[in-house]
Amino acid sequence: MSSLLTNSTAMTALQTLRSVGSQLSTTQTRISTGQRVATASDNAAYWSIATSMRADNAALSAVSDSLGLSAATVDTQYTALTTVIGDKDSGLTKLQSLLVQAKTAGIDRTKIQADITQIQQQMKSTANAATFNGINWLSTTATTPATFSLVSSYSRVAGTPTIGSITVTTANYSLYTATTSGVLDTVSGGASVDNMTIGALTDSAADQTTLDGYIAQVTTAINTVASAAANLGAVKNRIATNTEFVKSLMDSVDRGVGQLVDADMNQESTRLAALQVQQQLGVQALSIANNSSQSILSLFR
């Protein structure tokens, strides 16, 4: 029947138009944000997972920054250690050769001592300068921590976060300490590498024995410092490996979040075009349905 009060066709057309309008609004939001799950109301489970993974990625970013600082610190200490070891013209290597030269009978050991003094001062200056961000493992004080923890990783399992770290023992790299217990300032046989002097030594058997002790002491120091530098080299490699892994892990997390919440723009663009056509047709259908009531007037003419 034809009813003036109830237009079922118009009601159906209006309901369809509202549905199309709602879908169109959702599609336009996805296109503008690039996400199909932008809020918890879109998909509570996916939104919760994505939020947690983004938080994990922020923590991994902090780990990456920490690894960068750690790498710079280790590299500073490593560079100083290799400088202290030196070569034929500097450092412990040169000091060893000078002491061997000092065993030559009749040689002027006072002049050799002048070179030794300069090397000793240079090594101490190098150790004191090996500071990055206020950290120095080669020249320590009473307030220097016994160990340093270098943050290396972050993981979260079942809601429980775990922070991984690389532990560095300061005593393994200390060349000079406040208690003179470092590699170069520890007294052995009456002298340390830092304060040994040969200017007053002669060709006597006792003084030659003293020189032999000094040479052995410097040789031991070379081996110890070289071992410390090798350990730092291993730490450098571990930090570099962790840095690359953390970056790859962050990319993986980003891809995982994208799979959960990112919108497929090809699909959304196709849906947008279809919905726009449906909206236009819905408007026309509603217009036709509204005009159908005009035919009732013809019944009263």
Side-chain angles (χ1 to χ4, degrees):
M1 72 176 185
S2 297
S3 173
L4 182 63
L5 299 178
T6 303
N7 190 335
S8 300
T9 305
M11 293 171 65
T12 301
L14 181 59
Q15 185 177 6
T16 301
L17 187 59
R18 284 173 178 168
S19 175
V20 171
S22 177
Q23 294 179 59
L24 186 60
S25 176
T26 299
T27 300
Q28 289 173 336
T29 300
R30 290 179 177 179
I31 291 174
S32 62
T33 63
Q35 295 180 325
R36 63 187 176 93
V37 181
T39 63
S41 60
D42 295 329
N43 187 313
Y46 282 4
W47 181 86
S48 177
I49 294 172
T51 300
S52 297
M53 293 177 71
R54 289 191 184 104
D56 289 346
N57 236 16
L60 287 173
S61 178
V63 169
S64 180
D65 293 341
S66 180
L67 284 169
L69 286 173
S70 298
T73 301
V74 171
D75 191 57
T76 299
Q77 313 306 313
Y78 174 81
T79 300
L81 284 176
T82 55
T83 301
V84 168
I85 294 173
D87 52 28
K88 63 184 183 66
D89 297 318
S90 64
L92 290 170
T93 303
K94 175 64 174 179
L95 178 58
Q96 184 184 52
S97 66
L98 288 173
L99 291 174
V100 172
Q101 184 181 355
K103 285 187 61 68
T104 303
I107 198 167
D108 189 347
R109 296 182 179 88
T110 302
K111 291 184 173 60
I112 294 177
Q113 179 58 44
D115 283 341
I116 290 176
T117 299
Q118 292 301 317
I119 291 174
Q120 290 169 330
Q121 293 175 353
Q122 181 58 45
M123 291 191 300
K124 193 160 191 176
S125 175
T126 299
N128 290 335
T131 302
F132 182 85
N133 195 30
I135 296 175
N136 190 324
W137 299 338
L138 307 190
S139 182
T140 63
T141 65
T143 60
T144 302
T147 60
F148 286 87
S149 293
L150 309 179
V151 175
S152 62
S153 64
Y154 170 86
S155 63
R156 179 178 56 84
V157 178
T160 302
T162 302
I163 310 297
S165 62
I166 302 171
T167 301
V168 175
T169 302
T170 309
N172 294 338
Y173 311 103
S174 298
L175 304 183
Y176 304 92
T177 69
T179 57
T180 63
S181 57
V183 176
L184 301 185
D185 63 359
T186 298
V187 176
S188 176
S192 67
V193 174
D194 182 47
N195 63 15
M196 60 178 55
T197 59
I198 65 169
L201 298 182
T202 65
D203 292 338
S204 67
D207 286 350
Q208 290 295 310
T209 300
T210 299
L211 279 172
D212 288 337
Y214 287 171
I215 293 171
Q217 197 171 349
V218 172
T219 300
T220 299
I222 291 175
N223 293 334
T224 303
V225 175
S227 178
N231 288 337
L232 282 185
V235 172
K236 283 180 61 178
N237 287 335
R238 182 177 174 184
I239 289 175
T241 301
N242 281 12
T243 299
E244 291 303 316
F245 172 71
V246 168
K247 290 179 180 178
S248 298
L249 189 58
M250 290 174 65
D251 291 341
S252 297
V253 171
D254 282 336
R255 288 193 295 269
V257 172
Q259 290 293 326
L260 290 176
V261 302
D262 286 357
D264 184 341
M265 301 307 287
N266 292 329
Q267 181 180 0
E268 297 302 333
S269 63
T270 302
R271 182 180 291 114
L272 177 64
L275 288 171
Q276 286 174 336
V277 172
Q278 291 180 46
Q279 187 182 48
Q280 293 172 12
L281 292 175
V283 170
Q284 292 180 11
L286 181 59
S287 176
I288 293 171
N290 287 333
N291 288 332
S292 65
S293 61
Q294 296 295 323
S295 62
I296 298 176
L297 293 176
S298 64
L299 298 175
F300 300 96
R301 290 175 185 169

